[in-house]
């Protein structure tokens, strides 16, 4: 779980009242990220677009790597012959 500093958390009502200021703080890197809380529960995060795109790229690479590993394991499994796949014929 990610930890947020007190100054990185803003209420949903504060976001509604001061969205332009909050967005400018993100754009100008005054704040790296802001977590939005509603009813004392964190619900969303506002990030700079470049930071979001970096995170998405890393996620995509991780997912791609996971798929490659699954395919490699599947190929390995197909090469192995188990006793249940062997048919014995009596002559």
């Amino acid at each position: 779980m990610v930890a947020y500093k007190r100054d990185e958390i803003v209420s949903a009502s504060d976001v509604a009242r001061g969205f332009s200021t909050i967005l400018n703080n993100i754009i100008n890197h005054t704040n790296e990220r802001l977590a939005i809380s509603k009813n004392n529960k964190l619900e969303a995060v506002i990030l700079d677009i470049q930071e979001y795109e970096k995170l998405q790229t890393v996620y995509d690479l991780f997912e791609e790597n996971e798929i490659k590993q699954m395919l490699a394991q599947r190929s390995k499994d197909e090469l192995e012959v188990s006793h249940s796949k062997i048919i014995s014929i009596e002559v």
Side-chain angles (χ1 to χ4, degrees):
M1 177 170 242
V2 177
Y4 297 94
K5 296 181 234 169
R6 190 170 186 79
D7 65 340
E8 293 179 322
I9 301 172
V10 62
S11 70
S13 55
D14 287 345
V15 171
R17 282 192 295 267
F19 183 75
S20 181
T21 302
I22 288 170
L23 183 58
N24 284 332
N25 287 343
I26 294 293
I27 291 169
N28 298 327
H29 302 286
T30 304
N31 294 97
E32 184 179 322
R33 63 186 179 192
L34 287 173
I36 303 171
S37 67
K38 186 174 182 179
N39 299 323
N40 293 321
K41 183 180 174 197
L42 297 179
E43 298 288 349
V45 174
I46 299 176
L47 295 172
D48 174 82
I49 190 70
Q50 288 96 359
E51 189 65 26
Y52 170 77
E53 288 174 350
K54 282 194 266 182
L55 290 171
Q56 187 64 49
T57 299
V58 169
Y59 178 81
D60 292 344
L61 289 171
F62 179 77
E63 192 173 53
E64 185 179 310
N65 190 43
E66 240 180 24
I67 292 169
K68 285 180 183 177
Q69 287 177 354
M70 286 179 2
L71 290 173
Q73 183 62 42
R74 210 178 272 171
S75 295
K76 181 182 172 189
D77 291 345
E78 288 173 1
L79 292 175
E80 294 176 0
V81 178
S82 71
H83 68 283
S84 61
K85 292 182 181 177
I86 298 173
I87 301 173
S88 63
I89 301 174
E90 291 185 29
V91 184

